[in-house]
Amino acid sequence: MSAMSNSNWSRRSLFRAAAGMAAAGSLAACGGNNGRGGGAGSGVALTQYFHAYGEAGTEQAIRKYAKAYDKAAVSTQWITSADFESKLFATLLTKNAPDLFEFHPQIQMVKSGQVADLTDIIEPVRNDFNPADITSHTVDGKIYGVRMIDDPQFFFYRKSMLEKAKVEVPTTLDELAEAAAKLTTGKVKGLYMGDDLHSVINPMIWSAGADTLDAKNQIAYHTPAVIEGIKKMRKLFTSGHLLLGAPTASWDPSSLNQGLCAIQFCGMWAMPSIQKALGDDWGVFPFPKTVDSGKPSVYNGGWSMFVNAKGKNVEAAKAYVKWLWIDQKKYQEEWATSFGFHIPPRTSIAQTATKLKSGNAAEGVRLFNEFGHFDNIGWTQAMITSLEDVFANAVRKDMDPEAALDKADTAVERELKKLFG
């Protein structure tokens, strides 16, 4: 869903940065009206924080769900996307802190005691969740956070533009660069991946057969194939075939819809909007192999619901989370498929979600299942920033990739030592 997903690294890094600061207790506290409503049912009042989603109907839906709950009065703070992370993490340090909030898996929040253990409410249905969604929210065997939606991200392309230029769907990063060159004509650029390219850093690493961290929480991104990938990305960045300075960020499909580019990296949430604008003149493909020995990849973003472990109503907040995000399957399916397309994290719901059964939506689900990579809860903001710096220095500027990765290693090792000893 456009603004709904942690759809590119720069967006996500803002959240992670705020999380890191909040965990360290360094954000300035700010008060203000938290919008708590009057009591209902047991007389408990709960406040939940959501960022302002891009699609019409989302705010009304969240408020509708809250109103249907009769065990507490649940009020919603619907916060402008740009302000969400700073508002959330500043407020978490005050007496006006929300009882529950949406966010992404973040190990500092667990280690600082900010988020409650939700194992007891998830355990009875854990086998109905995508196993990767359980893993990405688990620390030391305990589950923190209930996944609400899964947001796979891939390349969207205009079929007619590729046909006209006699371009096949790319299966390697080299082919993607060649396609971008052939598709660039007049006012149309071949490819759009955002100005900073943050959203494709991890897919490029995965498609090189590497990873951010391995199973033992050791650096796994510093490989010859990744170095090769960085060099290819540098060549692409300087080619003149990338759309840079687009009117909207890459999570918004407007550039593709308006014909400013032939191929755009975006998320599954955009499918209904693209279908409305382009009819059937579009398709999707995963991030292609960075090198011949690699494998295509799909980054799976998404949002999860967390309970504030430092709040006054932890058990009441957990009860609401259980009611809405575990028991109310009808609402969960509506949330995932009625305002943009997302994959429900619950297998039973994903299997019956009719809107995802045909056409490009079904293809998106297939790519997600075959090539999907999920968040690593131990991959922190400082680590994310270190790889963003690699792209800033070696792709957007002309630093030697090996030197850029060495610099990243130093920052990542420092974080790993703090977190895991």
Side-chain angles (χ1 to χ4, degrees):
M1 233 178 235
S2 63
M4 183 164 200
S5 171
N6 46 316
S7 54
N8 64 38
W9 287 99
S10 55
R11 247 186 91 66
R12 216 154 128 237
S13 63
L14 286 169
F15 288 96
R16 300 265 191 177
M21 284 189 281
S26 61
L27 270 179
C30 72
N33 175 22
N34 71 349
R36 290 185 190 276
S42 63
V44 176
L46 300 173
T47 300
Q48 58 180 350
Y49 269 29
F50 276 79
H51 81 282
Y53 287 49
E55 283 68 19
T58 47
E59 182 180 4
Q60 291 82 353
I62 285 297
R63 294 188 189 280
K64 176 182 80 175
Y65 306 154
K67 196 176 177 186
Y69 187 62
D70 61 6
K71 303 285 192 296
V74 183
S75 60
T76 303
Q77 284 275 332
W78 192 257
I79 299 160
T80 311
S81 291
D83 302 330
F84 180 69
E85 67 287 338
S86 54
K87 176 86 187 282
L88 170 63
F89 286 99
T91 312
L92 280 172
L93 300 176
T94 74
K95 65 180 191 300
N96 291 322
D99 300 286
L100 55 154
F101 55 90
E102 62 172 358
F103 200 60
H104 318 296
Q106 171 59 276
I107 199 164
Q108 288 104 315
M109 292 168 63
V110 175
K111 293 202 173 254
S112 67
Q114 186 68 71
V115 291
D117 174 7
L118 304 184
T119 312
D120 56 335
I121 65 172
I122 296 170
E123 194 60 49
V125 293
R126 78 176 286 157
N127 291 338
D128 189 38
F129 274 89
N130 185 316
D133 277 324
I134 296 293
T135 302
S136 64
H137 290 70
T138 300
V139 177
D140 298 330
K142 294 177 178 175
I143 307 166
Y144 299 85
V146 179
R147 193 64 145 182
M148 300 183 292
I149 44 172
D150 283 326
D151 274 339
Q153 295 162 33
F154 15 67
F155 286 106
F156 292 75
Y157 67 96
R158 297 283 296 264
K159 287 181 179 176
S160 59
M161 288 185 179
L162 268 69
E163 281 165 21
K164 191 179 176 186
K166 295 184 169 57
V167 169
E168 297 291 318
V169 172
T171 60
T172 67
L173 188 50
D174 289 331
E175 288 176 4
L176 182 65
E178 288 163 20
K182 288 179 185 170
L183 291 162
T184 298
T185 57
K187 292 177 182 172
V188 181
K189 290 291 185 181
L191 180 62
Y192 181 41
M193 301 186 286
D195 287 351
D196 52 24
L197 309 184
H198 288 171
S199 54
V200 296
I201 295 174
N202 276 29
M204 189 217 74
I205 290 169
W206 294 321
S207 290
D211 207 338
T212 49
L213 300 174
D214 64 17
K216 293 179 180 174
N217 289 310
Q218 295 168 328
I219 287 172
Y221 58 78
H222 197 149
T223 70
V226 169
I227 290 169
E228 190 61 32
I230 292 169
K231 289 176 179 171
K232 291 177 181 184
M233 294 300 287
R234 168 68 183 165
K235 199 174 167 188
L236 189 52
F237 186 77
T238 56
S239 68
H241 306 136
L242 288 188
L243 175 62
L244 297 169
T248 56
S250 60
W251 57 256
D252 183 326
S254 297
S255 292
L256 185 80
N257 290 350
Q258 293 167 14
L260 301 181
C261 60
I263 302 174
Q264 177 175 338
F265 192 79
C266 196
M268 189 163 167
W269 58 83
M271 284 185 173
S273 155
I274 295 172
Q275 184 73 36
K276 190 177 176 187
L278 303 180
D280 294 326
D281 183 25
W282 62 286
V284 291
F285 63 92
F287 195 95
K289 292 190 292 186
T290 302
V291 291
D292 289 339
S293 60
K295 185 184 175 185
S297 69
V298 168
Y299 171 62
N300 177 55
W303 290 89
S304 309
M305 186 51 60
F306 296 88
V307 168
N308 177 10
K310 298 176 180 179
K312 296 183 189 119
N313 298 304
V314 174
E315 290 309 313
K318 281 175 67 173
Y320 177 64
V321 170
K322 178 183 181 295
W323 175 83
L324 178 52
W325 299 111
I326 291 176
D327 299 340
Q328 303 302 313
K329 287 190 170 188
K330 189 179 162 191
Y331 288 157
Q332 291 161 42
E333 179 171 349
E334 179 182 70
W335 187 241
T337 62
S338 291
F339 312 102
F341 287 171
H342 316 262
I343 298 175
R346 301 282 291 276
T347 311
S348 58
I349 301 173
Q351 284 171 347
T352 59
T354 50
K355 290 178 181 178
L356 307 182
K357 293 287 182 198
S358 60
N360 286 318
E363 177 64 3
V365 172
R366 185 187 73 78
L367 295 175
F368 164 86
N369 287 329
E370 190 171 348
F371 303 120
H373 291 261
F374 289 64
D375 283 317
N376 180 334
I377 197 169
W379 185 247
T380 68
Q381 170 52 30
M383 299 177 197
I384 290 167
T385 301
S386 69
L387 287 191
E388 289 174 351
D389 289 345
V390 168
F391 261 55
N393 293 327
V395 176
R396 303 209 304 276
K397 296 170 196 163
D398 201 16
M399 187 176 181
D400 174 61
E402 186 70 71
L405 286 169
D406 286 342
K407 197 176 164 193
D409 292 351
T410 306
V412 173
E413 291 286 8
R414 191 167 56 234
E415 277 296 288
L416 289 172
K417 197 163 186 197
K418 269 196 287 191
L419 289 169
F420 304 109

